[in-house]
């Protein structure tokens, strides 16, 4: 195989809960907020239409105060109640066919994907917090236990 490289079995599935997505017209606004608040960026993406920054509430010592501060900023939209599931393995995120197969599995549990992020070593699916456990269970059974 060329391109994505040889197919290897995913080595693990990881889930995260309590994620927040901030949206704004540009990445600079979100990076300024993250820097001033000490937020650990889980994912940042930006296009000409806008930017979004994801972070975990596990890394925020006083979310109540920070939320109040951000709510007063009309340039930032706050969305709570998210989670993420990552499939980890060599070249997993570089293979479009495998990434599409992972998305197909989501329909089995009826979980909508809010965003997807891929890198050579992982595919991360951002979804509603309630979808994390069923997705972790399903993806582990189909991809890790049964193979690619």
């Amino acid at each position: 195989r060329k391109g994505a490289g040889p197919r290897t079995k995913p080595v693990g599935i990881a889930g995260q809960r309590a994620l927040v997505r901030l949206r704004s017209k540009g990445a600079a606004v979100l990076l300024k907020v993250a820097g001033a608040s000490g937020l650990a960026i889980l994912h940042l993406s930006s296009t000409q239409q806008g930017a979004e920054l994801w972070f975990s509430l596990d890394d925020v010592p006083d979310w109540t105060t920070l939320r109040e501060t951000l709510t007063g900023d009309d340039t930032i939209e706050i969305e709570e109640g998210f989670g993420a599931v990552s499939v980890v393995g060599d070249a997993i995120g570089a293979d479009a066919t495998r990434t599409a197969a992972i998305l197909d599995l989501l329909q089995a549990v009826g979980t909508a994907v809010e965003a997807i992020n891929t890198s050579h070593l992982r595919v991360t699916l951002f979804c509603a917090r309630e979808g994390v456990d069923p997705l972790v269970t399903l993806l582990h059974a189909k991809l890790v236990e049964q193979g690619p």
Side-chain angles (χ1 to χ4, degrees):
R1 286 176 38 104
K2 292 185 178 181
R7 256 178 211 240
T8 58
K9 186 175 180 177
V11 295
I13 311 295
Q16 290 181 283
R17 290 164 207 80
L19 299 183
V20 174
R21 174 171 52 188
L22 301 180
R23 290 184 172 181
S24 187
K25 291 186 178 187
V29 171
L30 298 177
L31 290 170
K32 183 177 179 181
V33 166
S37 306
L39 295 178
I41 299 170
L42 178 62
H43 173 74
L44 172 69
S45 63
S46 181
T47 67
Q48 291 180 345
Q49 288 74 40
E52 58 182 41
L53 182 145
W54 295 79
F55 64 92
S56 173
L57 290 177
D58 294 338
D59 298 325
V60 180
D62 187 2
W63 173 235
T64 303
T65 301
L66 179 56
R67 184 193 309 116
E68 288 173 9
T69 300
L70 295 176
T71 300
D73 186 337
D74 62 356
T75 67
I76 296 174
E77 180 182 342
I78 304 166
E79 297 177 285
E80 299 181 67
F82 293 109
V85 177
S86 294
V87 180
V88 181
D90 189 36
I92 189 84
D95 187 332
T97 302
R98 291 177 75 188
T99 300
I102 291 167
L103 290 175
D104 288 344
L105 288 172
L106 299 185
Q107 293 184 356
V109 292
T111 299
V113 174
E114 290 288 328
I116 184 169
N117 180 270
T118 65
S119 71
H120 187 78
L121 297 175
R122 70 172 168 69
V123 174
T124 299
L125 309 161
F126 295 89
C127 61
R129 179 182 1 221
E130 301 79 34
V132 172
D133 289 339
L135 281 178
V136 167
T137 301
L138 174 71
L139 293 173
H140 190 270
K142 298 288 185 181
L143 301 176
V144 177
E145 293 174 10
Q146 293 179 9

